[in-house]
Amino acid sequence: MSLKTQTAFSKLSELCEKVVATTKRLEKMSLVGEFIAKLLPEEVEAAALLIIGQPFPRASHRVLAISWAALYDVLKEMFKPSTDEIGTLFRESGDLGEVVRRLYLKSGRVAQATLFPTPLTITEVYQTFTVIADVQGTGSRRRKTGHLRSLFMHATPLEAKYLTKILLGDQRIGFNEGMLEGTIARAFNLPLPLVQRANMLTGDLGKVTRIAREEGITGLQKVRLQSFTPLLPMLAAQAKDVSEALLQHGGESAFEMKLDGARVQIHQQRNGQPKIRVYSRRLTEVTSSLPDLVTLIQKEVTETSCILEGEVIAIGLDGRPLPFQHLMRRFRRVRGVERLVKEIPVRLFLFDLLMLNDEVLIDCPYTERRKRLASICGSIPLVPQIITMDSREAETFFDSAIQKGHEGLIAKRLDSPYKPGIRGKSWLKIKESLETLDLVIIAAEYGTGRRHRWLSDYHLGAWDPETAEFQMLGKTFKGLTDAEFEEITKRLLELQVERRGNVVLVQPRIVVEIEFDEIQRSARYPSGKALRFARVKQIRYDKSPDEADTIQRVNEIFESQFLRKASTNNVGRTSLSK
Ligand code: AMP
């Protein structure tokens, strides 16, 4: 195939501009549908992923690991911008991709790009991303910079904008995975649930787009769950107490203890060359950090093949669970693992079975999955559970979970299938403490006094799908230990976009779970809301920014506070009038 027939990356960049320019979902979907229909077959996978800003499929082990600092090195060479200039451009647009486009335009780079005989193609961009992700070993930063340089030297201003956005995981064009699934269904006249299912099973929407376009319904029907392709975890919505959960689940439910640890998905095959892989909640492979877990599974679970799910918790000397941050040290560690295995022993509690001896179980009811799990897990404990219709019994179970140092309960609907990636009502979490919000750090300030060395005052944002921005809700410097300040400062500096005096603006990447006393109306922030007495409960390195809470959820909590207050006032009034 000649290069000429390939689709230029500029076409994809123009498409993204058109998609972001309209707020109409259907229009966005038609634009993308028409674009995908015209591509060469071999371009479809890459294009689909690039449009939704996923350089690699969810289920892939590849990561780009390109920070703004690394990109900035390349831009510095090309344009010699001052930090002030970048800062001004960033303040104007709030978007690093746009910053880069304006840098190109200011320097007259338009003409430069057209000097190259062949324009950048979608395939070329995608292949270079893959090469960048695969660079390893000494000198990797230098080699990555080399690849970035060659991409950016060839790029037009608009292409450079979208290269930046995708590289930094900051696509934000108001077109997500769900919309791409809808687009595929509409464009190729396929049932949406079939497309969604194929995506859920493969974790690769690029591949699903290609199969849908090239093979249609028969192709999609052939898609199967596969070992060593991790599935997105099923998630839980919130319930305020066990009675609400019972009501939602039709009067009876399974209550499992909610352990405050880290979720793991374990894939094991014993026929042929035995193989075992452990994946985190974000589908990163963590097998080498957890050798003790691997040995345990190999010893206890003797079935030919299985996919298990469970929660790993760290245990202190007193036998009680240790705070989450201790456990995270185990998960992140690749060197010196052996020492850490002794220092921070972990325990695994299983709670689900998704595949057994090549039989896919995700469509089976919860009760059956749990029964079959119990029959194959050897001496590995299952998460403690009761099935009841009685709210008092469930409350007593809740109290015992809290006493044992756990977070609360998860109520699971007895007849519910396992729905990967879905936060539905089939699973309801009931926590003890006041509601918390998962927010994203959008800027940080150096502290005063003892905290002056650390970025220790955090600006917290919730995602607003309407404006496609993080809306600030408040600041906090409370809740972290010195070691955590140290670690988070390092990470925040890698995400630094601009420094203004004491304040460092960062790419919104780090999720923190925030406790607060109340959500108040406030004119200080554009969202019109502010958190009162916010404090960090824990840093959630295991969560990605797109899992953070939205402004909509903030508004829901705000409304519910209001209702609660109104009902307390009523109670007060009635008792006075008696
Ligand atoms: P959250 O992170 O608050 O949305 O709560 C969901 C998380 O709770 C899951 O991703 C698991 O890591 C964890 N979890 C703890 N115990 C259980 C359980 N029994 N069943 C399912 N998830 C659990």
Side-chain angles (χ1 to χ4, degrees):
M1 181 191 46
S2 92
L3 270 182
K4 272 194 204 130
T5 56
Q6 291 208 17
T7 312
F9 185 66
S10 62
K11 294 274 181 266
L12 190 141
S13 311
E14 284 158 19
L15 167 76
C16 294
E17 284 287 279
K18 287 188 206 147
V19 170
V20 82
T22 169
T23 51
K24 297 196 188 99
R25 268 175 79 88
L26 282 182
E27 201 173 316
K28 285 178 191 273
M29 285 161 69
S30 312
L31 285 164
V32 176
E34 282 160 26
F35 184 83
I36 290 176
K38 284 194 213 131
L39 296 168
L40 296 173
E42 61 272 32
E43 293 171 335
V44 174
E45 290 199 32
L49 292 172
L50 294 175
I51 292 167
I52 52 172
Q54 267 184 22
F56 305 109
R58 250 191 291 110
S60 154
H61 62 275
R62 287 201 169 96
V63 276
L64 274 170
I66 296 294
S67 64
W68 169 246
L71 257 190
Y72 186 62
D73 280 350
V74 174
L75 298 168
K76 231 172 21 197
E77 263 174 45
M78 289 171 67
F79 306 115
K80 310 199 170 34
S82 65
T83 1
D84 258 10
E85 186 178 3
I86 299 277
T88 314
L89 290 174
F90 187 68
R91 245 165 286 146
E92 280 167 16
S93 63
D95 179 322
L96 286 171
E98 189 54 28
V99 169
V100 173
R101 188 181 77 92
R102 292 185 194 179
L103 275 181
Y104 270 65
L105 288 177
K106 279 174 85 176
S107 74
R109 193 83 205 170
V110 199
Q112 282 268 354
T114 52
L115 291 180
F116 285 93
T118 51
L120 273 181
T121 62
I122 292 176
T123 309
E124 212 177 335
V125 167
Y126 198 76
Q127 281 169 353
T128 314
F129 281 5
T130 311
V131 172
I132 292 177
D134 292 345
V135 168
Q136 273 179 355
T138 43
S140 56
R141 168 109 189 218
R142 187 180 39 76
R143 278 182 288 149
K144 281 188 178 191
T145 308
H147 294 298
L148 286 178
R149 191 184 297 120
S150 79
L151 274 182
F152 279 84
M153 295 287 278
H154 271 69
T156 64
L158 193 63
E159 286 174 329
K161 169 173 175 175
Y162 283 96
L163 285 176
T164 304
K165 284 166 83 67
I166 301 168
L167 279 164
L168 297 181
D170 197 20
Q171 175 73 322
R172 288 195 280 149
I173 58 166
F175 192 83
N176 56 21
E177 271 201 32
M179 286 171 77
L180 181 54
E181 288 172 340
T183 303
I184 300 166
R186 275 165 50 97
F188 308 116
N189 206 8
L190 296 163
L192 178 61
L194 193 63
V195 177
Q196 288 168 327
R197 188 178 167 80
N199 181 27
M200 172 177 105
L201 294 179
T202 56
D204 184 345
L205 198 44
K207 186 161 149 189
V208 172
T209 314
R210 178 183 49 74
I211 296 175
R213 201 190 90 156
E214 300 303 304
E215 299 168 41
I217 199 155
T218 35
L220 287 185
Q221 277 164 341
K222 278 195 231 138
V223 171
R224 295 268 175 274
L225 177 66
Q226 281 181 337
S227 286
F228 310 110
T229 301
L231 277 114
L232 276 183
M234 176 163 174
L235 300 167
Q238 305 222 359
K240 72 175 186 316
D241 52 28
V242 292
S243 306
E244 187 191 332
L246 280 173
L247 198 71
Q248 294 271 2
H249 287 176
E252 189 179 27
S253 192
F255 291 90
E256 289 185 357
M257 289 197 182
K258 184 174 192 305
L259 312 184
D260 192 9
R263 188 169 186 157
V264 284
Q265 198 178 103
I266 304 156
H267 293 222
Q268 175 165 249
Q269 278 282 1
R270 281 175 176 270
N271 46 3
Q273 184 78 328
K275 191 170 157 190
I276 183 161
R277 296 275 180 274
V278 185
Y279 303 93
S280 75
R281 174 190 169 123
R282 289 176 78 171
L283 312 187
T284 324
E285 209 209 297
V286 288
T287 320
S288 56
S289 311
L290 299 163
D292 38 351
L293 212 83
V294 170
T295 315
L296 177 73
I297 299 283
Q298 281 168 336
K299 181 163 155 262
E300 298 295 332
V301 185
T302 52
E303 303 296 316
T304 317
S305 72
C306 61
I307 301 181
L308 304 156
E309 238 189 353
E311 190 84 353
V312 170
I313 56 175
I315 301 285
L317 290 174
D318 59 357
R320 287 175 68 81
L322 287 173
F324 182 73
Q325 57 269 29
H326 291 272
L327 183 65
M328 277 298 106
R329 284 178 58 211
R330 279 293 306 271
F331 269 67
R332 282 201 302 272
R333 187 59 74 101
V334 274
R335 270 184 234 118
V337 171
E338 255 127 71
R339 187 173 50 79
L340 225 58
V341 167
K342 292 211 186 80
E343 225 173 84
I344 309 174
V346 296
R347 280 196 74 187
L348 170 68
F349 289 83
L350 292 169
F351 58 74
D352 223 315
L353 178 64
L354 312 181
M355 191 172 88
L356 182 60
N357 299 331
D358 293 327
E359 186 190 350
V360 177
L361 300 180
I362 59 173
D363 294 321
C364 295
Y366 161 80
T367 39
E368 188 182 333
R369 299 198 311 275
R370 172 108 186 175
K371 201 164 94 204
R372 295 182 72 172
L373 175 63
S375 72
I376 62 145
C377 65
S379 71
I380 305 173
L382 302 195
V383 174
Q385 177 237 45
I386 59 164
I387 295 181
T388 185
M389 302 168 83
D390 181 355
S391 62
R392 268 168 314 176
E393 195 185 342
E395 251 155 47
T396 312
F397 192 57
F398 178 86
D399 293 341
S400 77
I402 301 296
Q403 259 169 23
K404 289 194 170 86
H406 303 310
E407 249 190 317
L409 300 179
I410 296 200
K412 298 187 176 176
R413 209 188 162 98
L414 299 176
D415 58 1
S416 59
Y418 186 96
K419 293 221 164 130
I422 302 291
R423 190 185 295 282
K425 298 230 159 105
S426 298
W427 285 13
L428 292 167
K429 53 186 171 191
I430 306 140
K431 295 200 205 173
E432 188 207 22
S433 52
L434 287 173
E435 268 171 304
T436 57
L437 280 169
D438 288 334
L439 300 177
V440 175
I441 299 180
I442 49 181
E445 294 175 32
Y446 282 97
T448 49
R450 215 174 58 80
R451 293 186 291 107
H452 78 279
R453 288 185 293 128
W454 300 310
L455 283 169
S456 49
D457 205 353
Y458 309 110
H459 298 205
L460 307 166
W463 179 248
D464 182 353
E466 271 176 27
T467 56
E469 277 172 355
F470 285 97
Q471 300 274 3
M472 184 156 168
L473 291 172
K475 293 198 228 175
T476 186
F477 57 85
K478 296 210 176 86
L480 297 186
T481 61
D482 288 3
E484 286 170 318
F485 278 138
E486 188 88 39
E487 160 92 22
I488 202 169
T489 302
K490 227 172 16 184
R491 288 176 178 244
L492 286 168
L493 287 175
E494 280 166 17
L495 298 170
Q496 169 169 345
V497 176
E498 191 207 342
R499 181 163 175 176
R500 258 188 266 160
N502 212 21
V503 184
V504 173
L505 295 187
V506 293
Q507 283 176 259
R509 286 289 170 279
I510 299 182
V511 179
V512 276
E513 187 179 348
I514 298 291
E515 288 177 324
F516 53 93
D517 283 7
E518 207 182 14
I519 300 174
Q520 300 176 312
R521 277 193 206 286
S522 161
R524 195 176 321 151
Y525 306 120
S527 66
K529 304 271 161 34
L531 300 178
R532 191 174 137 85
F533 296 128
R535 58 220 172 249
V536 181
K537 186 172 173 214
Q538 53 192 6
I539 309 172
R540 298 297 306 251
Y541 291 123
D542 63 324
K543 285 200 173 177
S544 64
D546 49 2
E547 286 182 276
D549 282 311
T550 57
I551 281 288
Q552 197 186 355
R553 167 125 191 83
V554 173
N555 288 335
E556 276 166 21
I557 300 180
F558 179 76
E559 297 293 325
S560 69
Q561 277 174 191
F562 201 66
L563 291 176
R564 228 180 3 244
K565 275 192 196 162
S567 70
T568 349
N569 286 344
N570 280 339
V571 172
R573 229 171 277 137
T574 343
S575 54
L576 270 182
S577 59
K578 263 186 185 169

